[in-house]
Amino acid sequence: MSNNYDVVVIGAGPAGYIAAIRAAQNGLRVACIDEWQNRDGSYAFGGTCLNAGCIPSKALLESSELYHRAQHEFKKHGINVPGVSMDIAGMQKRRAGIVRQLTGGIAGLFKANKVDGLVGHGKLLADRKVEFTPVDGEVRILNAEHVVLASGSTPIELPSARFDGSRIVDSWDALEFDEVPERLGVIGAGVIGLELGSVWLRLGSKVTVLEAMGDFLFMADRDVASAAGKDFRKQGLDIRLGAKLTSATVEGDVVKVEYDDAQGEQSIEFDRLIVAVGRRPYTDGLFADDSGITVDERGFIDVDDECRTRVKNVFAVGDCVRGPMLAHKGSEEGVMVADLIAGELGEMNYDVIPSVIYTAPEIAWVGKTEAEVQSSGRPYKTGSFPFAASGRAKAMEQTSGMVKVISAADDDEILGVHIVGPMAGELIGEAVLALEFAASTEDIQRTIHAHPSLSEAVHEAALAADKRALNYMNR
Ligand code: FAD
Ligand code: NAD
């Protein structure tokens, strides 16, 4: 077995495994090392995204939404399904099956692309040598022409709410609950708080979300955040803003939570508490002191716009470097560095990365929010279209939300698109392409959209930016 590689990737999450596959497609000799171990003791490629993040959370969101709709929406369609009940073990079996299939798929892709998938710990030493400690077998020193660090991230733990793996848990544990908690607390109304809060709410928990910030979804456009906030509250999510956690302690089977808000000191009890206050880069044991790698004050590996670290021919991608912690951002960085290593053109457009929150309604956006455009000083126009006026949304019985387009008033360039509503995560694709091609509002206006489709709402919002919406009153 040769220890010499053109590229050694440490980490097989969406950033690392994609970098490895693209590098192999570019004709390079590649190894990809990963140590991820699941709760059942098995090792798997795919990182957080496939094992404990994007994929299992979407599996549960789908199951719980179908359950909710069977209970609350089917009747309107004339479908009577009395006595609908939820089999949590069945739901969890499906989730685990999807994860197993997809992570196994990566092992298959490695084989097909002749990437050596190595199971164990990787550590960058000086001079681009990588120490590989397999889960079974002897330590090997790999010689790499290029190294890609893709070690990902891990949940932030609050000193006032230590994880115990049972009552006070992180997102991974919260994906694997085997029963519906009667009273569920969530610290953080961010992406994970809203997605996992929605899952367990739909399955019957009474869910209270404590959010430190005074603004709901502060990173989203205000119109979208406010529409989504109203909808979530109507569904029964008890979102408490400006709530500063002081302590969370487990007493028997109960989690006692103390927090301060505008009204003063508060206390509340839960059966389980999910802490979802963000993630931090994970670089434990990733590089030796003399490797030359540096990190910033928050622990992210220092890289430039092309993901080059301070060490020649060593790159870092994904959650362990600056930028949004999103799977597709990491994957595209992986493609970029694999192409740069092969001497090809590689670049990332960090201004055009879509964000999607997979709640119901979904929330999705790309580009700038109205507040960002406003503070840039550039004159702008906006156009909105509510799904309540969409024939397809009505047929789907999913009429809440809207599409909002923000465009430059000077040259008509589309600056941001914000959607809250059905399939927002799919609809945003058109907007991403539009921004990537620096499209004008008129480009979308003149593009034929199928009827009846949800995408007509994007078309109408673009028309509304010039007060030319055809199926809605222009304001
Ligand atoms: P990771 O996926 O974290 O992978 C890093 C890998 O490196 C791990 O397998 C780890 O074992 C391995 N590793 C680390 N150090 C070493 C070492 N020294 N040796 C060997 N192996 C090592 N993002 C989205 O875009 N869409 C979503 O819908 C979404 N949903 C999410 C839901 C949840 C609940 C969570 C927690 C996250 C979600 N994310 C989502 C975020 C997404 O999971 C991350 O952005 C993504 O996984 C980052 O990819 P990565 O490859 O950088 O890191
Ligand atoms: P987040 O940054 O989305 O949200 C964390 C929330 O916790 C924020 O609203 C923050 O104000 C709040 N918070 C922080 N400290 C707090 C405290 N002490 N008390 C109360 N509230 C507090 O982080 P997350 O939800 O943990 O998600 C982590 C990462 O995973 C995110 O970067 C996200 O991009 C990614 N993720 C993405 C998706 C998706 O793309 N659909 C889904 C899940 C996770």
Side-chain angles (χ1 to χ4, degrees), residues 92-340:
Q92 293 294 24
K93 194 170 157 214
R94 189 187 90 101
R95 167 196 53 77
I98 293 169
V99 167
R100 224 179 3 260
Q101 232 174 20
L102 290 177
T103 55
I106 297 177
L109 286 171
F110 278 175
K111 255 198 200 113
N113 286 283
K114 299 195 172 54
V115 171
D116 286 348
L118 307 178
V119 180
H121 185 80
K123 181 176 186 177
L124 176 70
L125 308 176
D127 302 325
R128 291 191 311 276
K129 293 199 183 308
V130 174
E131 179 186 87
F132 167 53
T133 310
V135 291
D136 47 14
E138 301 278 292
V139 174
R140 285 165 60 190
I141 301 295
L142 312 179
N143 303 304
E145 291 294 325
H146 302 85
V147 176
V148 181
L149 305 174
S151 55
S153 64
T154 191
I156 292 175
E157 185 168 21
L158 293 175
S160 49
R162 292 277 178 213
F163 297 128
D164 70 356
S166 160
R167 296 282 154 194
I168 303 181
V169 301
D170 64 15
S171 53
W172 190 4
D173 287 316
L175 287 164
E176 300 192 2
F177 286 161
D178 55 9
E179 57 179 27
V180 181
E182 208 173 301
R183 298 165 303 173
L184 175 65
V186 183
I187 309 294
V191 195
I192 293 180
L194 292 174
E195 289 187 355
L196 293 187
S198 296
V199 165
W200 295 105
L201 175 80
R202 294 168 191 160
L203 298 177
S205 294
K206 177 180 174 354
V207 181
T208 308
V209 187
L210 304 178
E211 165 60 46
M213 301 287 283
D215 283 335
F216 177 61
L217 275 183
F218 60 91
M219 63 290 201
D221 186 84
R222 288 302 80 205
D223 288 340
V224 159
S226 130
K230 274 192 206 130
D231 215 301
F232 295 148
R233 289 197 165 96
K234 216 162 72 192
Q235 291 170 28
L237 261 192
D238 180 358
I239 302 169
R240 303 185 187 177
L241 300 174
K244 311 258 179 330
L245 181 78
T246 43
S247 73
T249 45
V250 179
E251 290 179 24
D253 286 346
V254 172
V255 188
K256 297 198 165 174
V257 169
E258 313 269 328
Y259 66 96
D260 290 335
D261 66 10
Q263 277 75 51
E265 287 176 16
Q266 311 284 344
S267 67
I268 185 165
E269 291 187 355
F270 301 113
D271 300 301
R272 306 247 194 186
L273 181 69
I274 305 173
V275 181
V277 294
R279 296 175 62 83
R280 62 173 177 81
Y282 177 77
T283 55
D284 296 5
L286 178 67
F287 48 84
D289 291 345
D290 61 354
S291 64
I293 299 297
T294 56
V295 298
D296 69 14
E297 64 289 350
R298 294 166 62 208
F300 290 99
I301 297 172
D302 288 317
V303 286
D304 66 10
D305 285 351
E306 292 185 329
C307 291
R308 294 175 199 275
T309 68
R310 301 223 167 143
V311 183
K312 191 160 182 272
N313 291 347
V314 177
F315 297 77
V317 294
D319 280 11
C320 64
V321 303
R322 83 284 172 268
M325 286 184 166
L326 295 172
H328 42 282
K329 173 262 191 186
S331 296
E332 287 308 318
E333 287 178 335
V335 168
M336 171 178 74
V337 303
D339 286 350
L340 289 172

Side-chain angles (χ1 to χ4, degrees), residues 352 354 356 364-367 387 403-405 414-419 423-450 453-463:
V352 185
V356 182
W365 68 90
V366 62
F387 284 105
V403 179
K404 173 174 172 182
V405 171
I414 301 168
L415 303 174
V417 177
H418 304 267
I419 307 177
M423 308 300 277
E426 302 298 325
L427 293 176
I428 203 67
E430 175 181 1
V432 176
L433 199 63
L435 264 74
E436 186 62 37
F437 288 4
S440 66
T441 321
E442 188 182 347
D443 287 325
I444 294 191
Q445 292 173 349
R446 289 189 183 278
T447 301
I448 301 169
H449 291 70
S453 69
L454 295 173
S455 71
E456 287 173 299
V458 178
H459 187 218
E460 289 278 354
L463 287 165

